[in-house]
Amino acid sequence: MSAPVVVHPPVPEGGRRVTARGEFLGTAYGMVDLIEFLRRAGLDLATIDLHDKDLIDWQGGGPETWEPET
């Protein structure tokens, strides 16, 4: 089973697309954006771990990566 939230690889313009169960939530430019998208999606932020691979599939880098490699 794949993670319900996907943080896609950084794009050249900056930021990362975020989807939940295939639905586009927005483009995050940092953790604050990601947390807001997850809150809007109904996740209880007090109980989630952003490093939980069963919850979030970090593609193209982990939570510290918001710009593409040059």
Side-chain angles (χ1 to χ4, degrees):
M1 181 175 162
S2 61
V5 176
V6 178
V7 179
H8 299 269
V11 296
E13 300 79 25
R16 300 173 77 165
R17 293 179 67 244
V18 180
T19 57
R21 292 182 170 75
E23 179 182 337
F24 178 66
L25 300 180
T27 300
Y29 294 91
M31 292 300 284
V32 172
D33 295 332
L34 175 63
I35 290 167
E36 178 61 15
F37 295 150
L38 298 178
R39 184 193 66 76
R40 289 182 191 175
L43 294 170
D44 181 1
L45 300 176
T47 63
I48 66 169
D49 175 5
L50 296 177
H51 298 279
D52 181 353
K53 293 179 180 170
D54 291 329
L55 174 65
I56 300 176
D57 178 11
W58 290 93
Q59 299 179 347
E64 68 289 339
T65 306
W66 294 97
E67 298 292 327
E69 290 186 23
T70 56

